[in-house]
Amino acid sequence: MTALIATIKKELLLLLRDIHGLLLLFVMPVAFILIMSLALQSQFAQNAGGQKIAVLVDDQARSDSAASVIKLLEQRDVFSWHVTDTLSAPEKIRHDEAAFLLTLQQNNNDLHAEILVAPATNPQIEAIFTAVVGEAMSKQRIEALLRNIKMKRALDSDFSLDDGIDEDALNSNPVTIQYSYQKNQTTSVQPASAQPTSVQQSVPAWLVFAMFFSVVPLANTLISERQQGTLRRLRTLPVPLALPVIGKLVPYFVINQIQVLLMLTVGVYLMPLFGADSLTLGHSLAGLLLMSVCLSIAALGYGILIAVVARTTDQATTLGGVGNILLAALGGIMVPRFVMPDSMQQIAGFSPMAWGLEGFLDIFLRSGGVKDVLPEAGSLFLFGAVTIALALVLFRRNT
Amino acid sequence: MESVPAIAVRNLRFHYPGEKLPAVDDITLSIDTGSCFGLLGPNGAGKSTLLALLTGILLPQHGDIRINGERLSNTRKLHEYISLVPQDYAFYPTLTLQENLDCFAGFYGLQGAHKRARIDFAVQVCGLDDLLHQRASSCSGGVRRRLNLALGLLNQPELLFLDEPTVGIDAQSRHFILESIAGLQRAGMTIIYTSHYMEEIQSICDAIAIIDHGKLLVQDSLANILARAADMPALPARQNAQRLEDFYLSLTHHALRD
């Protein structure tokens, strides 16, 4: 234990005297957050404002009345209307790929609308949508009724309104609502399609990036120890062979947690001073801690693996730096995932940085909790555990 | 009753994977307790590999190493009473001398008063008292060499392995280090010393081994080797003080090694 404490103390001292390392870990991400949040503020605002609520329309009626209703609905441009006839439509709703499925059915002369509501759909949006559909259906009924009256009058000069109107049909509710989930079941996470503001995107994105950048100082110290012969000397000391590796993980874990605190503080308190939004932290401290710990384990695993594999500090800087930039470009750090085409979004899912960012966005943007970030946190932990184990095996083999 | 040697090596062999020839090839030697033993050989002769084997960094592929009569098996235990001072400045340049000493004392598991006493001993032997708050990177080569040695003394080892501990320093520092080593030997420490400086070996060692191409060419007391060197035909313009070097070159030849 004394040896481990000595190693941790040594690593902290080395880092405190590594001005480049400190700039990389703390100043660079703060600068990125400031610049990117402010530069992209209007772009994100436009994007969020222009975001439409997706509705799938399944026209089973295939009648003039149905076509008339769809035409009326399409005038409501707060919704984006997507005609579908696939059987998978209800499945898409269950997975929140659209807010509603509107099915139009013809029963004799009556047109009937059925609405399937997605789990994450906001109840207020649901009320608005129901009203919009109800209005369109009513308009269509009135138009049909007027056409009917005009036609009967033309054929029969003695036609009376009392003779021609089916009041039961007129009074029946033309719209029914169903739910793709159990009603009253609270769903904590907002739709996956919810888009962040520039601050909500930039703070977690560059925080994730900064945590992975611990690879550079971490690798440099291990490689310097190897090049200076210190590792060889440590082999003749009564300490475990893995001490130089394990001893680095603890202080850099602490450094990562300080990065989290600093970046969140910047997001919450500093950004508003520059006229940007304040970062909203969500409601789950436990979820935030879980993400922070698992992300750090993943970042350190990646860092220690590069440190063990690279032979020189140049190699480590290139391998770690370029690797980080690629993971960031792929993982939605540099380009938000929601602006990527579907195929790129699928590929982005392979980057551990994307797992980290999505986990933070689940908490900050979608008010998620521990349960909601478990998939991302689990993936990060697994990635970290595998890379650390691999690094230890390679370190033992190479030393 | 014959005393047990500090180190007894029998038929030791080590072959690096992918290399044509073994780095250490069937070496048998013995180092007396309390002696200062000089290990000589050209670059690539196998000295570093032999030191790595004797200090437990590498495990022998063939042969037997006994330290104080006990077969070398538990390297963790071995490392409590041996120490290696490598040729490299094997410490942390951005830390101060005091921080380096504290750090390595921690690696040895030293704490409290015990730790302070060991650090004081190392600082005193190596003459570092007034330099403790300087960063190692800003110190002269001589101070760095003394720090390198001081770190190797923190566990007050019974066996001290010194790998070219005076490379690249001025005459004053070299003299100080050699005096310190002689003092440690007088205090009962067994020293294994490698160097390319024959006059250093001649001044502090009482026994010598010369190895080349992984093989032991000779092992004897300094007096016997100097006597054998005296029997050799004198080379032109060579002084008596260079007898050991003449003898060494006669065994390892003049061809450049790197």
Side-chain angles (χ1 to χ4, degrees):
Chain A
M1 185 51 94
T2 313
L4 183 62
I5 292 168
T7 310
I8 292 168
K9 196 176 162 192
K10 175 258 297 177
E11 288 297 333
L12 287 171
L13 282 171
L14 289 177
L15 186 62
L16 281 174
R17 289 177 192 163
D18 177 7
I19 190 75
H20 299 110
L22 291 174
L23 286 172
L24 201 62
L25 293 179
F26 295 105
V27 180
M28 180 197 73
V30 170
F32 268 126
I33 288 171
L34 277 169
I35 295 165
M36 301 307 272
S37 295
L38 297 173
L40 297 174
Q41 201 173 0
S42 58
Q43 188 61 41
F44 272 78
Q46 242 178 34
N47 223 320
Q51 189 188 0
K52 294 182 177 182
I53 299 159
V55 180
L56 302 180
V57 181
D58 185 3
D59 181 9
Q60 293 177 0
R62 297 190 183 281
S63 60
D64 291 343
S65 312
S68 168
V69 166
I70 292 170
K71 203 173 168 186
L72 285 167
L73 289 172
E74 282 174 346
Q75 291 169 10
R76 302 290 192 158
D77 61 3
V78 69
F79 299 99
S80 63
W81 306 89
H82 307 275
V83 176
T84 177
D85 55 3
T86 60
L87 294 171
S88 62
E91 194 62 22
K92 286 183 177 175
I93 296 299
R94 257 191 293 282
H95 289 99
D96 282 313
E97 289 177 35
F100 304 100
L101 168 64
L102 174 65
T103 306
L104 296 173
Q105 291 164 326
Q106 195 77 39
N107 292 330
N108 300 320
N109 288 329
D110 291 334
L111 183 66
H112 186 80
E114 190 178 288
I115 297 169
L116 185 64
V117 184
T121 301
N122 186 314
Q124 288 166 325
I125 302 285
E126 180 191 324
I128 294 168
F129 183 72
T130 312
V132 165
V133 173
E135 184 195 15
M137 293 293 285
S138 301
K139 268 190 176 174
Q140 186 278 326
R141 277 190 175 194
I142 291 165
E143 282 171 7
L145 186 64
L146 289 174
R147 270 200 308 274
N148 199 20
I149 290 169
K150 278 180 188 171
M151 199 167 65
K152 286 189 172 174
R153 266 194 179 156
L155 294 172
D156 180 3
S157 54
D158 295 332
F159 173 76
S160 153
L161 279 179
D162 294 337
D163 300 332
I165 298 174
D166 179 352
E167 288 197 10
D168 287 345
L170 198 62
N171 292 329
S172 70
N173 190 351
V175 181
T176 56
I177 299 178
Q178 291 187 343
Y179 296 91
S180 65
Y181 56 98
Q182 200 163 3
K183 190 80 169 78
N184 301 329
Q185 169 194 317
T186 53
T187 50
S188 57
V189 178
Q190 296 284 316
S193 57
Q195 289 180 13
T197 64
S198 64
V199 172
Q200 282 171 319
Q201 165 73 20
S202 293
V203 174
W206 297 110
L207 166 59
V208 170
F209 190 63
M211 287 171 83
F212 270 82
F213 249 96
S214 51
V215 61
V216 174
L218 193 154
N220 283 348
T221 53
L222 188 70
I223 290 165
S224 297
E225 283 179 320
R226 192 189 297 137
Q227 289 177 337
Q228 286 160 4
T230 317
L231 281 187
R232 186 178 161 88
R233 179 172 225 156
L234 289 177
R235 293 284 311 279
T236 65
L237 266 54
V239 293
L241 181 60
L243 182 79
V245 173
I246 303 291
K248 283 183 174 40
L249 297 179
V250 179
Y252 276 91
F253 178 80
V254 175
I255 297 291
N256 280 164
Q257 302 317 306
I258 295 171
Q259 285 180 305
V260 173
L261 264 178
L262 177 69
M263 303 309 148
L264 296 188
T265 306
V266 166
V268 173
Y269 298 108
L270 187 65
M271 293 316 298
L273 300 180
F274 287 87
D277 304 331
S278 174
L279 177 71
T280 50
L281 293 179
H283 309 290
S284 176
L285 180 63
L288 183 59
L289 284 174
L290 179 67
M291 276 308 298
S292 178
V293 167
C294 291
L295 182 61
S296 179
I297 291 170
L300 295 180
Y302 171 74
I304 207 75
L305 185 60
I306 298 278
V308 169
V309 170
R311 309 310 301 168
T312 63
T313 51
D314 284 347
Q315 267 184 22
T317 308
T318 308
L319 211 60
V322 172
N324 267 358
I325 290 165
L326 284 177
L327 288 177
L330 202 64
I333 305 295
M334 294 178 168
V335 181
R337 269 181 94 177
F338 63 81
V339 302
M340 293 179 181
D342 284 349
S343 55
M344 278 303 291
Q345 288 194 24
Q346 298 292 324
I347 296 169
F350 290 104
S351 167
M353 286 198 194
W355 311 334
L357 179 57
E358 283 305 312
F360 280 130
L361 288 177
D362 278 347
I363 296 165
F364 299 157
L365 181 64
R366 301 166 195 134
S367 302
V370 170
K371 205 177 82 183
D372 303 305
V373 298
L374 272 181
E376 288 96 349
S379 303
L380 288 166
F381 181 82
L382 195 65
F383 176 83
V386 168
T387 45
I388 289 171
L390 191 60
L392 284 173
V393 169
L394 291 175
F395 183 75
R396 280 175 184 278
R397 208 183 64 180
N398 298 343
T399 306
Chain B
M1 187 178 145
E2 199 176 319
S3 65
V4 177
I7 298 174
V9 171
R10 201 156 49 98
N11 304 121
L12 192 63
R13 180 191 285 262
F14 190 87
H15 200 148
Y16 288 107
E19 292 293 322
K20 271 187 186 173
L21 296 171
V24 169
D25 190 3
D26 202 26
I27 284 182
T28 297
L29 58 78
S30 175
I31 299 172
D32 290 338
T33 301
S35 67
C36 183
F37 187 87
L39 191 59
L40 294 172
N43 291 335
K47 298 190 301 292
S48 296
T49 305
L50 182 57
L51 279 191
L53 287 162
L54 295 179
T55 54
I57 294 174
L58 293 175
L59 295 175
Q61 293 159 341
H62 182 265
D64 184 47
I65 300 172
R66 285 175 190 272
I67 307 286
N68 292 337
E70 279 186 40
R71 189 170 182 166
L72 177 58
S73 55
N74 184 348
T75 53
R76 180 74 80 88
K77 194 178 164 198
L78 169 78
H79 293 156
E80 284 171 7
Y81 63 89
I82 70 147
S83 189
L84 169 69
V85 177
Q87 186 184 341
D88 301 308
Y89 295 127
F91 46 75
Y92 300 99
T94 55
L95 301 190
T96 64
L97 273 55
Q98 180 70 59
E99 287 163 347
N100 268 295
L101 288 160
D102 283 338
C103 173
F104 278 84
F107 290 159
Y108 280 115
L110 300 172
Q111 288 175 295
H114 197 202
K115 175 179 160 182
R116 279 195 297 278
R118 291 288 183 87
I119 290 177
D120 287 347
F121 167 75
V123 166
Q124 206 175 9
V125 169
C126 298
L128 298 171
D129 311 65
D130 299 329
L131 306 160
L132 291 173
H133 298 293
Q134 283 190 22
R135 285 199 192 174
S137 57
S138 66
C139 292
S140 67
V143 173
R144 289 189 217 186
R145 283 279 165 221
R146 276 144 58 197
L147 173 62
N148 219 18
L149 175 62
L151 297 175
L153 299 178
L154 288 170
N155 62 334
Q156 292 193 342
E158 292 175 33
L159 271 75
L160 179 63
F161 294 83
L162 299 165
D163 192 1
E164 302 189 37
T166 60
V167 173
I169 56 173
D170 61 25
Q172 287 76 9
S173 291
R174 182 191 293 190
H175 177 76
F176 183 89
I177 288 175
L178 292 177
E179 282 293 306
S180 302
I181 293 167
L184 292 168
Q185 189 205 358
R186 281 195 297 275
M189 210 176 272
T190 304
I191 314 271
I192 296 89
Y193 190 97
T194 79
S195 177
H196 290 298
Y197 301 123
M198 298 300 153
E199 70 276 18
E200 282 184 9
I201 298 282
Q202 238 174 291
S203 71
I204 65 164
C205 293
D206 38 34
I208 291 172
I210 299 175
I211 62 171
D212 197 11
H213 300 300
K215 289 180 185 294
L216 181 70
L217 301 180
V218 67
Q219 185 204 341
D220 211 335
S221 68
L222 179 70
N224 286 346
I225 283 183
L226 289 177
R228 284 167 69 178
D231 293 339
M232 291 173 57
L235 295 172
R238 289 284 179 181
Q239 301 299 310
N240 189 44
Q242 288 177 302
R243 276 189 296 162
L244 180 60
E245 185 162 339
D246 293 339
F247 182 69
Y248 171 80
L249 286 172
S250 74
L251 290 175
T252 59
H253 309 297
H254 289 259
L256 293 173
R257 299 305 176 93
D258 45 23

